[in-house]
Amino acid sequence: MSDSEGTSTSVPQNNENASSPDSPPPLRRSIDGIFFKFLPEKSCASESKTVVQCVKCEPKIVELKGYGNSSSNFVTHLKRRHGNDAAEEYKNHLRSIGPPNKKIKTFVKQLKIKTTQENFESEIMNFFLHSMVPLRCVEDPHFIKIFDTLNISNSGLHILSRRSLCRKIDTYYEKNKIELNENLKDAQFVCTTVDIWSGKKRSFLGVTCHWISSTDLKRVSKALACRRFKGSHTYDRISDLINEIHLEFNLNPSKIIATVTDNGSNFVKAFKMFGVKRTNIIFIEEENSVDNIDTSEFNLESNESNQFQCDVHGPSDIESILPMHFRCFAHTLNLCVTADINKVINNSDELSLVHVSVINKCNILWNLAGRPKSAEIIQNILGHTLSRSGETRWNSLYDALRQILNIKKNISNLNNALNINKKNCLREQDFDYIEEHLLCTAPMAEALDIMQGETNTYYGIVLPCLLALRRKIETLAKPERIWLYCKPIIDAILKSIDKRFENYLNFSSLESVNASIAAFSYPRFKKRWLTCVNIENHDKLIHFFKKAADDVISAQNTPLHLEKSPIINQTTDFFDFGSSSSASTDYDLPNTGYSHR
């Protein structure tokens, strides 16, 4: 049976897709052995799938798939493999077979779009907002032609102008702002984050807001502002702008638990000068205490049964008041592995000589990977390109060095192909250093990935993450472990963690108590992390959690029932807290009144 015969007999006909009841669809009528051969055994009538073999590629067997009456895959193949002339010949062949399906053509002409002009304009506006394309594209002739082809005028629709699009976006902004203000009224407490960045010679200040929904306990995050920041980024101008944005949404320091920023000196000074200070916290003493726990060792400026409120008025000479300040934990970890490690490397002549030499050799490869000609050579030899490290995130340097280590077996061929001078080639001892450097910094890289996560990253993860990280670094720093190069780096990381996170790891400060309560409240950890804490602090930390839970229960009129438990990602084995005799201590944690169905 010939291909044309197979075409006419192998597929049941559908009146909706054919000119007459006895003729095959137009696409399959074109598969007559001139350009393509029909493969009936691989085609499927129910799915309208047509599988063909390209005649021009013979004797090589090249199979293609088409769906319905669309020949775009076939045309694309001809154009890519055999040139534009072959594609045009095939198109002319399609035209010579006969007119396109009249029913489909009539359907397109009679198509009525069931939507209003307002909804149509809203969809266009959403496209521009989410795709970030220039607004002028709405008046681009090719953009308009898309809708003209669909004859939207038959449905009484028309494309809005750029001016109308701008007005609609402004209205949408005001509407969202009103809705956001209403949502913030219902939130009892919120947390804000502030950052400043520059791009294309312009600076911006962004503020986001986060709170826990009272209905389902899910975290809600919204952007409050993205403002141009002209001039110098001084602490007083930063303070004024943050305060202005907070007041715009009726947020004050008594409602904002804290504002999170990076460790920039301008941010630190702004909150030091204008933020809520420990001296501005009013303690409200309660008569009832629980369990008679001795908390005199804790530097809480009051006993454990005290609550605190913020004096939002502050000193009389301060015009703008900011909330309490939290330094971003991910950014602080980043400083541990960059600024603090670099100091140690620079202070050690032997380590500095090796480190700088290796990084310079890697930079040569990374620079070549950014040039078109050498990038093709790298792609051909390795099968992939080389990623260069970024300037702001240390994780990218870790990943780039790990990629360099993985190409060790191909480095000779790569050096020869790129004509790299012998003195600039990576040698065996260079790879030994890279491997050792990656080994001692791997826990930091994993911790940073966790801290920078988009989901399942809450305040309750901070303390377990720090304790697990410190435990891993302490294991690497054991005397029996032999290091050729990186022993100073490991010691520096351990000292840096203890210094920069002292308030969270000494368990004698208000920050450490709050972080402990958050960690106990996180179902993923509960009290597992206590094995990394001195046993004399266990009872005190548990007591603070019980007190906080009792306060929540007494304030909650009715228990909150969740339809399902929160999804918790437990694929990582980073959180290894070890085991000890204290791990089996059975603490009686209170019932918080929250249940999961």
Side-chain angles (χ1 to χ4, degrees):
M1 183 182 294
S2 65
D3 291 323
S4 59
E5 290 174 342
T7 304
S8 61
T9 60
S10 61
V11 181
Q13 305 308 315
N14 187 335
N15 289 338
E16 293 295 328
N17 295 319
S19 319
S20 64
D22 298 325
S23 62
L27 176 61
R28 296 197 177 180
R29 292 207 311 271
S30 68
I31 307 171
D32 51 9
I34 298 177
F35 288 89
F36 301 101
K37 293 180 180 179
F38 180 61
L39 302 178
E41 67 279 3
K42 296 185 177 182
S43 301
C44 180
S46 61
E47 298 178 2
S48 300
K49 181 174 71 173
T50 302
V51 182
V52 300
Q53 178 180 329
C54 180
V55 174
K56 289 184 174 292
C57 289
E58 292 179 343
K60 184 178 180 180
I61 299 176
V62 177
E63 296 181 359
L64 305 168
K65 295 179 182 179
Y67 292 89
N69 284 321
S70 174
S71 60
S72 58
N73 286 350
F74 305 158
V75 175
T76 301
H77 168 76
L78 292 172
K79 188 180 296 185
R80 185 176 65 249
R81 290 292 181 88
H82 308 292
N84 292 328
D85 292 341
E88 288 300 323
E89 289 178 11
Y90 177 67
K91 290 179 182 179
N92 292 333
H93 180 64
L94 288 176
R95 297 187 189 101
S96 66
I97 293 174
N101 192 318
K102 292 183 178 180
K103 288 189 177 182
I104 295 178
K105 190 173 182 180
T106 303
F107 172 75
V108 172
K109 284 186 176 181
Q110 296 178 349
L111 178 66
K112 293 292 184 180
I113 302 175
K114 296 181 179 179
T115 187
T116 63
Q117 177 66 26
E118 183 179 357
N119 291 338
F120 179 61
E121 291 178 355
S122 296
E123 293 299 331
I124 292 179
M125 178 193 67
N126 289 332
F127 164 76
F128 279 91
L129 290 177
H130 290 275
S131 62
M132 301 290 288
V133 297
L135 300 185
R136 65 175 180 272
C137 292
V138 75
E139 295 179 342
D140 186 285
H142 295 283
F143 181 81
I144 296 175
K145 187 177 180 181
I146 296 174
F147 298 95
D148 288 343
T149 304
L150 296 174
N151 293 320
I152 62 172
S153 58
N154 290 345
S155 301
L157 304 177
H158 62 273
I159 300 291
L160 72 171
S161 65
R162 177 183 177 181
R163 201 173 196 178
S164 298
L165 179 60
C166 291
R167 287 198 298 266
K168 193 169 186 66
I169 291 176
D170 289 338
T171 303
Y172 182 71
Y173 167 78
E174 295 298 334
K175 178 184 176 182
N176 276 348
K177 188 175 177 181
I178 294 173
E179 291 180 357
L180 180 56
N181 269 306
E182 292 298 322
N183 292 334
L184 289 174
K185 285 181 181 179
D186 299 333
Q188 185 178 5
F189 299 107
V190 301
C191 171
T192 60
T193 63
V194 182
D195 191 21
I196 297 176
W197 69 93
S198 299
K200 296 185 178 180
K201 301 178 181 179
R202 296 185 297 176
S203 296
F204 300 87
L205 182 141
V207 180
T208 60
C209 186
H210 316 269
W211 67 94
I212 302 296
S213 171
S214 59
T215 56
D216 55 11
L217 294 185
K218 291 183 178 179
R219 180 170 55 192
V220 182
S221 299
K222 298 291 183 180
L224 298 185
C226 180
R227 303 278 177 85
R228 277 291 307 276
F229 199 158
K230 298 181 180 180
S232 301
H233 302 168
T234 57
Y235 74 94
D236 53 338
R237 298 186 68 242
I238 290 175
S239 174
D240 291 339
L241 188 52
I242 294 176
N243 186 56
E244 176 186 327
I245 294 172
H246 283 169
L247 293 178
E248 188 176 338
F249 291 90
N250 298 316
L251 298 176
N252 54 59
S254 62
K255 186 167 187 173
I256 304 176
I257 294 296
T259 296
V260 182
T261 73
D262 59 28
N263 289 264
S265 58
N266 49 2
F267 277 126
V268 174
K269 188 172 182 179
F271 284 89
K272 182 178 180 181
M273 296 295 294
F274 303 108
V276 173
K277 304 177 180 62
R278 189 68 61 84
T279 55
N280 292 340
I281 295 178
I282 303 173
F283 286 91
I284 304 174
E285 187 171 350
E286 295 180 352
E287 296 180 358
N288 298 326
S289 59
V290 184
D291 295 341
N292 296 321
I293 297 295
D294 180 16
T295 59
S296 58
E297 297 179 6
F298 284 74
N299 181 25
L300 301 180
E301 302 185 14
S302 184
N303 61 50
E304 81 289 341
S305 61
N306 287 342
Q307 297 178 340
F308 63 86
Q309 294 179 344
C310 295
D311 178 10
V312 298
H313 301 288
S316 58
D317 58 338
I318 295 180
E319 296 180 358
S320 60
I321 294 295
L322 299 179
M324 293 186 69
H325 183 217
F326 274 10
R327 302 190 187 194
C328 174
F329 294 100
H331 188 263
T332 306
L333 274 179
N334 198 79
L335 291 177
C336 292
V337 79
T338 53
D340 296 343
I341 286 182
N342 288 338
K343 288 180 182 178
V344 174
I345 292 175
N346 294 334
N347 291 335
S348 173
D349 294 337
E350 184 179 355
L351 181 58
S352 177
L353 185 65
V354 176
H355 181 83
V356 172
S357 174
V358 170
I359 295 300
N360 286 340
K361 292 176 182 179
C362 292
N363 273 325
I364 293 174
L365 288 174
W366 292 329
N367 289 334
L368 290 172
R371 302 170 187 170
K373 186 176 179 180
S374 52
E376 290 182 7
I377 296 175
I378 295 173
Q379 180 73 37
N380 292 334
I381 294 176
L382 303 179
H384 59 82
T385 187
L386 293 176
S387 302
R388 181 162 194 161
S389 60
E391 297 180 358
T392 57
R393 292 181 180 269
W394 173 83
N395 306 59
S396 61
L397 175 62
Y398 177 87
D399 293 336
L401 287 174
R402 187 169 59 179
Q403 192 179 46
I404 292 290
L405 183 63
N406 291 336
I407 66 170
K408 179 180 179 180
K409 61 181 180 181
N410 294 322
I411 196 65
S412 297
N413 295 334
L414 194 61
N415 289 333
N416 295 332
L418 295 173
N419 295 320
I420 298 178
N421 193 295
K422 283 189 177 181
K423 68 177 183 179
N424 294 325
C425 294
L426 287 167
R427 299 171 295 175
E428 186 70 26
Q429 53 265 43
D430 296 327
F431 283 105
D432 291 341
Y433 174 77
I434 293 175
E435 185 175 6
E436 194 170 284
H437 185 89
L438 292 176
L439 181 61
C440 72
T441 56
M444 296 294 291
E446 194 169 358
L448 275 169
D449 288 338
I450 293 171
M451 289 290 196
Q452 294 169 352
E454 293 278 339
T455 58
N456 297 326
T457 304
Y458 301 92
Y459 190 44
I461 209 171
V462 170
L463 196 55
C465 185
L466 289 176
L467 292 172
L469 172 62
R470 189 171 66 170
R471 183 175 183 273
K472 291 178 183 294
I473 299 298
E474 286 175 344
T475 301
L476 294 175
K478 288 182 178 179
E480 59 268 21
R481 194 73 180 257
I482 299 176
W483 298 92
L484 296 177
Y485 307 98
C486 297
K487 186 62 168 65
I489 293 179
I490 297 172
D491 295 337
I493 293 176
L494 192 57
K495 291 179 181 177
S496 179
I497 293 173
D498 289 338
K499 181 180 179 180
R500 291 187 180 272
F501 296 99
E502 180 182 6
N503 287 343
Y504 293 90
L505 297 175
N506 59 15
F507 299 102
S508 60
S509 65
L510 183 62
E511 293 91 341
S512 63
V513 171
N514 288 336
S516 300
I517 294 172
F520 282 129
S521 305
Y522 199 165
R524 181 178 182 180
F525 302 112
K526 296 184 179 178
K527 57 187 174 71
R528 287 178 51 213
W529 53 274
L530 280 178
T531 58
C532 294
V533 180
N534 289 335
I535 195 169
E536 58 266 21
N537 291 326
H538 289 195
D539 289 335
K540 296 177 182 180
L541 296 177
I542 289 290
H543 169 69
F544 281 116
F545 174 71
K546 285 183 176 181
K547 179 63 177 63
D550 287 340
D551 293 340
V552 172
I553 295 172
S554 61
Q556 186 75 31
N557 295 328
T558 57
L560 177 64
H561 298 280
L562 303 180
E563 291 299 324
K564 59 174 70 174
S565 299
I567 298 176
I568 300 174
N569 181 14
Q570 301 201 38
T571 58
T572 177
D573 58 353
F574 178 83
F575 296 100
D576 178 15
F577 305 109
S579 60
S580 67
S581 58
S582 62
S584 60
T585 303
D586 187 14
Y587 292 103
D588 183 20
L589 295 183
N591 182 2
T592 60
Y594 300 147
S595 61
H596 302 284
R597 290 179 182 176

